[in-house]
Amino acid sequence: MMLRNCSIFIAEDDYRLASDLRDAFVKVGANVIHPCDTIEDTLDVIMSSSSIDGAVLSVNLQGEATFAAAEHLVRRQIPFVFLTCLNSSDCPDSLKGIDRFEKSVDIGYLIEVMGSLMSA
């Protein structure tokens, strides 16, 4: 599997979804950097962690847009996907090309996409 021994960062404020994502990534051999549920914690991890190979980023964490965090991931050339819900904020033009998954996400498919992004 392409994600074996990769460090995956998860930023998601839905505890159940964050747990399901963590469990699914661990099952395919990835190392999960603890899920964050606030924009402050997310920025702290992105700014301080040198070993992020890929990320799953909710568009909103507790009502706050995460585009600043997304821009840092882009600058560091870390592949990532967005998780969105129906009423999520409009994406800035600079982030329009990022894959987006609705919150009722097929986790198996999301993991496949992450594997493809990281091997590209």
Side-chain angles (χ1 to χ4, degrees), residues 77-88:
Q77 299 181 320
I78 296 170
F80 70 99
V81 298
F82 276 129
L83 291 177
T84 66
C85 40
L86 293 174
N87 62 352
S88 59

Side-chain angles (χ1 to χ4, degrees), residues 92-104:
D93 288 343
S94 60
L95 299 171
K96 291 270 195 244
I98 304 298
D99 286 314
R100 298 168 77 123
F101 291 87
E102 290 290 327
K103 287 276 177 106
S104 58

Side-chain angles (χ1 to χ4, degrees), residues 58-114:
S58 180
V59 168
N60 288 294
L61 291 174
Q62 299 181 15
E64 293 191 61
T66 59
F67 301 129
E71 297 283 3
H72 285 294
L73 290 169
V74 169
R75 266 197 291 289
R76 290 187 58 192
Q77 299 181 320
I78 296 170
F80 70 99
V81 298
F82 276 129
L83 291 177
T84 66
C85 40
L86 293 174
N87 62 352
S88 59
S89 314
D90 282 336
C91 222
D93 288 343
S94 60
L95 299 171
K96 291 270 195 244
I98 304 298
D99 286 314
R100 298 168 77 123
F101 291 87
E102 290 290 327
K103 287 276 177 106
S104 58
V105 63
D106 173 339
I107 293 176
Y109 178 62
L110 184 148
I111 285 178
E112 277 180 44
V113 170
M114 284 298 297

Side-chain angles (χ1 to χ4, degrees), residues 1-118:
M1 183 51 155
M2 295 167 264
L3 298 175
R4 183 165 300 290
N5 297 322
C6 291
S7 293
I8 304 296
F9 174 55
I10 298 170
E12 170 55 56
D13 58 1
D14 176 325
Y15 177 79
R16 187 174 200 191
L17 178 55
S19 295
D20 290 349
L21 286 166
R22 183 191 60 227
D23 294 348
F25 277 109
V26 166
K27 192 183 274 184
V28 297
N31 302 313
V32 174
I33 300 166
H34 61 90
C36 289
D37 64 358
T38 67
I39 186 61
E40 294 81 11
D41 289 348
T42 298
L43 286 167
D44 283 349
V45 169
I46 292 169
M47 305 298 270
S48 66
S49 180
S50 55
S51 63
I52 300 173
D53 297 313
V56 177
L57 185 64
S58 180
V59 168
N60 288 294
L61 291 174
Q62 299 181 15
E64 293 191 61
T66 59
F67 301 129
E71 297 283 3
H72 285 294
L73 290 169
V74 169
R75 266 197 291 289
R76 290 187 58 192
Q77 299 181 320
I78 296 170
F80 70 99
V81 298
F82 276 129
L83 291 177
T84 66
C85 40
L86 293 174
N87 62 352
S88 59
S89 314
D90 282 336
C91 222
D93 288 343
S94 60
L95 299 171
K96 291 270 195 244
I98 304 298
D99 286 314
R100 298 168 77 123
F101 291 87
E102 290 290 327
K103 287 276 177 106
S104 58
V105 63
D106 173 339
I107 293 176
Y109 178 62
L110 184 148
I111 285 178
E112 277 180 44
V113 170
M114 284 298 297
S116 302
L117 283 173
M118 292 170 61

